[in-house]
Amino acid sequence: MSVKILLWNRKGCHHCEELKAYFHEKGYQYESIDVEGKDYLRDLLEIKYGIRHVPVVEIGDKG
């Protein structure tokens, strides 16, 4: 059974890069959403979690 992992990130974010490296090291499959220059995606983060910064990791179908 695999769990869906979704990583909200942006280029140049060292915390985002650390998470990507960790996922690769552990062999975790994940989907990546780059919010760089996409205010509508940051708006979505604010609606869902009350924040506009990354990284944000959603695990499972319910976030």
Side-chain angles (χ1 to χ4, degrees):
M1 180 172 141
S2 67
V3 175
K4 179 180 175 184
I5 300 174
L6 183 61
L7 173 62
W8 297 73
N9 65 96
R10 69 172 175 79
K11 293 177 182 122
C13 167
H14 73 276
H15 294 296
C16 300
E17 296 305 319
E18 288 174 4
L19 277 168
K20 288 179 184 180
Y22 176 80
F23 292 158
H24 285 291
E25 176 186 310
K26 297 296 182 182
Y28 297 152
Q29 298 294 316
Y30 66 95
E31 184 179 339
S32 178
I33 298 178
D34 185 354
V35 301
E36 184 68 34
K38 300 172 186 154
D39 284 338
Y40 67 94
L41 290 176
R42 289 183 185 263
D43 292 344
L44 261 174
L45 281 175
E46 189 168 15
I47 290 166
K48 288 177 92 170
Y49 302 110
I51 58 172
R52 296 181 63 81
H53 60 273
V54 292
V56 172
V57 178
E58 293 181 16
I59 299 174
D61 291 332
K62 297 184 183 184

